[in-house]
Amino acid sequence: MEPSAAPSRRPILVIALGGNAITRAADDRSVEAQFGRTRATVELLLPVIASRRWRVVVTHGNGPQVGSVLLRSDLAAEAGALPRLPIDVAVSDTQGGMGYMIQQVLGNAMWEAGLHQPAATVITQVIVDEHDPDFQDPSKPIGRFYPEGSLGDLQEHGWVMKPDEQGRGWRRVVPSPEPREIVEAPVVAELLAGGVIVVACGGGGIPVVADAAGSLEGVEAVIDKDLVSALLAHELKADTLVILTEVEHAYTGYGTEAQRALDEVDADALRALAAEGHFAPGSMGPKVEAAARFVEAGGTQSIITDPEHLGAALDGRAGTRVVAAPTLAAGGR
Ligand code: ADP
Ligand code: MG
């Protein structure tokens, strides 16, 4: 194996963990089950993290977990015990709780492997534009399903409610604006330079808006974790963005007889496939968009694969690898 560079010179690897890495539909909903699932995922990441070839940042989704925080908030509000939590605070709660879990599991695994490298979680705020079109027409369903009869009350809080397409009731929808700037990116960079494995941008980051003087304030919105991971990777000048999900590849003709795995693809070709409708909007679509954006902004490669294939994908032997279009790659970074 090639000798590893000094920690501060190793290339940066951003690993975005999908929902499945932490909890699966079949798992029970206990905290123990989440620890167990996270441990199993970390085992799969360990060879790459322990290889000392990379400075590693882990980002993660929070769908089921923020749903649980909001459910607790709702039940407490309905019982008259406590006011409802704003979403920015609910996201920050999941960053803390999930960050604790990931950093402990990762820290233990590193310790057991004889590698005394600490892991730390950064509560991460992400600036969005208050004029983002999604604030006018919110698109992201969040939290539990409500029966039609309870809508009056909820709309009084200013909530936008939409009927579920599968008829499971009504659900709150919130804006999902574009991430513009990651407030704590310089802190993440400092920690990486100091040899820390960093967990950041959990749940897409805490959405905040900046006023003219630069003061920040949380907003009722959620940010896509794949898009924010691409932005973080760019802001850190990372080498590689890896998006880990349930499937080994992005596929064309997914779920049809014509399904075909994408191995290496350039950003232009990938965008052309996206325009043909190969990637579902709420799931593979944002991953493909994030992968394309990162390499278009100068990153070396983006990878979409499952945790089982992380190592092989980094060696070019598995997963979907997205690279810049040849004309852009010529200049390097
Ligand atoms: P996350 O892991 O971040 O929670 P999602 O579950 O939202 O990700 O998205 C991943 C899922 O997208 C896959 O498990 C797969 O079912 C679905 N999917 C939709 N279109 C495609 C495609 N073209 N190629 C691969 N997977 C696809
Ligand atoms: Mg999912």
Side-chain angles (χ1 to χ4, degrees):
M1 192 195 268
E2 55 195 281
S4 54
S8 60
R9 308 189 60 136
R10 291 175 197 153
I12 294 175
L13 174 64
V14 174
I15 303 177
L17 296 181
N20 248 32
I22 291 156
T23 184
R24 298 194 182 171
D27 293 348
D28 76 61
R29 304 190 62 192
S30 67
V31 169
E32 288 77 12
Q34 288 184 42
F35 267 97
R37 181 67 66 194
T38 304
R39 226 172 270 129
T41 299
V42 162
E43 288 295 319
L44 296 169
L45 310 190
L46 197 64
V48 168
I49 297 175
S51 71
R52 311 213 149 202
R53 282 172 51 198
W54 306 95
R55 286 178 281 163
V56 176
V57 184
V58 175
T59 68
H60 60 88
N62 72 347
Q65 292 78 14
V66 79
S68 300
V69 171
L70 292 171
L71 175 59
R72 290 183 174 108
S73 157
D74 260 16
L75 294 177
E78 283 164 16
L82 285 170
R84 283 193 167 78
L85 278 183
I87 297 184
D88 57 322
V89 175
V91 172
S92 72
D93 282 1
T94 65
Q95 286 191 349
M98 297 180 75
Y100 156 58
M101 186 169 66
I102 296 168
Q103 105 187 20
Q104 184 182 75
V105 165
L106 206 50
N108 286 347
M110 292 294 286
W111 183 264
E112 284 158 21
L115 300 163
H116 301 167
Q117 194 180 355
T121 300
V122 174
I123 299 298
T124 318
Q125 305 173 88
V126 176
I127 297 177
V128 301
D129 180 353
E130 62 186 312
H131 301 299
D132 191 291
D134 231 72
F135 282 103
Q136 255 56 66
D137 185 19
S139 61
K140 176 77 182 167
I142 185 168
R144 61 201 264 228
F145 297 95
Y146 295 88
E148 190 150 11
S150 59
L151 296 181
D153 262 7
L154 298 171
Q155 280 158 342
E156 266 171 42
H157 298 295
W159 289 13
V160 180
M161 306 295 295
K162 286 192 182 163
D164 176 49
E165 281 167 9
Q166 288 150 55
R168 289 172 290 185
W170 288 66
R171 226 171 161 199
R172 182 177 185 194
V173 288
V174 298
S176 183
E178 279 286 328
R180 296 287 175 203
E181 188 185 333
I182 296 165
V183 178
E184 284 77 16
V187 180
V188 175
E190 287 279 327
L191 288 168
L192 287 174
V196 178
I197 305 166
V198 183
V199 181
C201 288
I206 302 164
V208 298
V209 293
D211 71 13
S215 291
L216 304 179
E217 192 183 0
V219 287
E220 295 284 290
V222 294
I223 301 169
D224 182 84
K225 77 104 173 46
D226 295 312
L227 297 183
V228 85
S229 300
L231 181 62
L232 179 67
H234 172 63
E235 290 189 2
L236 294 173
K237 297 186 173 59
D239 178 82
T240 296
L241 167 67
V242 180
I243 298 174
L244 295 182
T245 184
E246 274 178 71
V247 285
E248 189 193 333
H249 295 270
Y251 300 87
T252 54
Y254 181 67
T256 70
E257 276 183 8
Q259 175 172 312
R260 197 172 58 82
L262 290 166
D263 294 319
E264 187 161 303
V265 58
D266 69 61
D268 287 352
L270 188 64
R271 284 195 183 283
L273 293 170
E276 287 170 20
H278 283 285
F279 313 115
S283 54
M284 190 49 69
K287 298 182 199 311
V288 157
E289 175 66 26
R293 282 185 192 180
F294 175 61
V295 296
E296 284 164 353
T300 303
Q301 59 174 345
S302 302
I303 292 172
I304 300 171
T305 192
D306 56 20
E308 285 77 2
H309 291 91
L310 172 63
L314 286 169
D315 291 338
R317 292 184 285 107
T320 295
R321 291 178 309 286
V322 183
V323 293
T327 47
L328 292 176
R333 53 180 300 157

